[in-house]
Amino acid sequence: MEKIVERFLKYISIDTKSDFNKALSEKPSSPGQWDLAKLLKSELEDLGLEATLSDECFVYSEIKANTDKKLPKVGFIAHIDTSPEMDGGIKDPQIIDYEGGDIKLNDKLAITPNEFPILNELVGQTIITTRGETLLGADDKSGVAAIMTMAEYFINHPEVEHGDIKITFTPDEETGTGADTFDVELFDADFAYTVDGGVLGELEYETFNGCDAKVRIHGKSVHPGSAKNTMVNSLTIANEFDRMLGEVRRPEHTEDYEGFFHLFNINGGVENTSMDYIIRDHDRDKFEAKKKEFEANASYLNNKYGDVIEVELRDSYYNMGDVLKEHPEIVGYAKTAMENLGIEPIISPVRGGTDGSKLSFMGLPCPNIFAGGLNFHGVYEMLPIEYMEKSAETIIELVKVIANK
């Protein structure tokens, strides 16, 4: 497993931050994704595999079966982009033999056990962290490194029986648009697993249903000295709209299967204000109800103030559990692989979505397996090296489990 860290450090040095503003018009949404995709294509070819880089920045490859047994064709998928919320491309991450206590990132910031209790479980492990200026990129370059390590293992161990193994690295997962143009027919797998994120043992086959929501509010700006009965302050209306959604159904107040409304961007003044939300719920009926409530609130304020609000809703993905409940054996293979390695499977709902959410509804059932990263999308992101190594070991064992099913 020596190479897995080397691979990971190489991948995170490339800034593949995706861009929400370009995601619907440009594939991929950022140039750094091309750089990593070309590198991965080259590395797959160096292993002796054929690899294709599509016009939309998907890297497709496969390891052909080495047996005449009729076995399922299994795929592994990881995304190459990192969160739009923060720059990546870290060149000098910290690598720490963790002995407990705070992990200092710089003079101002630290990862502390008080804020991040998971640290208490990591004493004695080697952890890669940021230096407090960028995110790390373990989401999902630890998954990329794990899949590449798996591929190298089977190339170097032809004596280990396996069926067809399909590999794809995808762009723009973080913007929710990458899998829209995934070529399921070209991929040609019976089922697949995303290797994305998560603590040791995570095995996930339920996700949120997700919707992106844009709110545009049009006010009327006049001089405040003569504004009485004339000014319409779009900022005030924006605040009223947000308060109507309630104080509790927010990410910071929800957990497990609880859905939410999340305002993640607001920009404006008296004349015009724009707000960007995501709407999430695991239950499809509750999800649809949240969208209707969102539109009803806009309608109420339009009646109150006179057609000042425009709302645009776009579904981004659905709960893959609605598909995977028909294919329990796929989750079972992963569970067995973890148990064979002495890893306790942690089966829990994803409080988010993965490429597997869309792919499952595109005819490719696709649960998610841990890749080892923690504290995603910010400067506190970190990766216990042992977690990433165990991720690679898990997907190697998973292929063996399927071969012996």
Side-chain angles (χ1 to χ4, degrees), residues 65-76:
N66 62 0
T67 177
D68 292 330
K69 287 174 60 177
K70 187 172 177 58
L71 295 172
K73 295 175 284 187
V74 60
F76 295 99

Side-chain angles (χ1 to χ4, degrees), residues 150-328:
M150 177 274 297
E152 184 177 44
Y153 173 87
F154 285 107
I155 293 298
N156 291 339
H157 293 83
E159 75 281 4
V160 179
E161 187 178 58
H162 62 81
D164 286 341
I165 304 169
K166 310 291 185 172
I167 295 169
T168 295
F169 300 116
T170 65
D172 281 306
E173 189 269 353
E174 296 289 357
T175 65
T177 61
D180 291 346
T181 51
F182 188 106
D183 193 331
V184 173
E185 184 176 349
L186 175 64
F187 190 59
D188 190 29
D190 294 309
F191 54 87
Y193 300 86
T194 52
V195 186
D196 186 3
V199 69
L200 177 69
E202 276 189 352
L203 173 55
E204 300 155 325
Y205 61 90
E206 296 177 279
T207 62
F208 277 137
N209 297 287
C211 174
D212 298 329
K214 295 183 180 296
V215 180
R216 302 293 179 258
I217 304 174
H218 308 288
K220 182 185 295 183
S221 180
V222 297
H223 190 285
S226 55
K228 187 175 181 179
N229 299 325
T230 304
M231 176 186 287
V232 178
N233 191 331
S234 72
L235 287 167
T236 302
I237 298 172
N239 182 54
E240 185 174 356
F241 179 88
D242 189 63
R243 283 189 289 107
M244 289 175 69
L245 297 173
E247 297 299 323
V248 175
R249 293 176 299 171
R250 315 278 181 168
E252 59 268 36
H253 300 303
T254 55
E255 61 184 352
D256 299 328
Y257 285 95
E258 297 172 332
F260 57 73
F261 299 97
H262 176 42
L263 172 63
F264 67 90
N265 184 53
I266 183 167
N267 182 48
V270 173
E271 187 77 18
N272 291 291
T273 297
S274 63
M275 299 190 290
D276 295 311
Y277 285 85
I278 57 174
I279 302 171
R280 299 290 188 262
D281 209 295
H282 289 93
D283 182 276
R284 185 64 178 267
D285 290 339
K286 292 180 180 178
F287 172 67
E288 297 297 338
K290 280 184 170 62
K291 291 192 294 180
K292 289 180 179 179
E293 178 183 348
F294 200 87
E295 292 180 312
N297 289 350
S299 178
Y300 168 81
L301 292 175
N302 275 332
N303 288 332
K304 181 177 180 179
Y305 294 106
D307 294 329
V308 295
I309 298 182
E310 299 172 11
V311 168
E312 178 185 345
L313 301 178
R314 183 180 67 86
D315 287 357
S316 48
Y317 58 84
Y318 301 114
N319 185 353
M320 63 185 177
D322 293 340
V323 173
L324 286 164
K325 65 184 179 183
E326 305 297 330
H327 304 278

Side-chain angles (χ1 to χ4, degrees), residues 313-356:
L313 301 178
R314 183 180 67 86
D315 287 357
S316 48
Y317 58 84
Y318 301 114
N319 185 353
M320 63 185 177
D322 293 340
V323 173
L324 286 164
K325 65 184 179 183
E326 305 297 330
H327 304 278
E329 73 282 359
I330 299 174
V331 176
Y333 297 145
K335 185 173 182 288
T336 298
M338 292 184 193
E339 291 171 342
N340 289 352
L341 296 172
I343 299 170
E344 181 179 353
I346 303 171
I347 298 177
S348 60
V350 182
R351 286 187 60 77
T354 69
D355 279 343

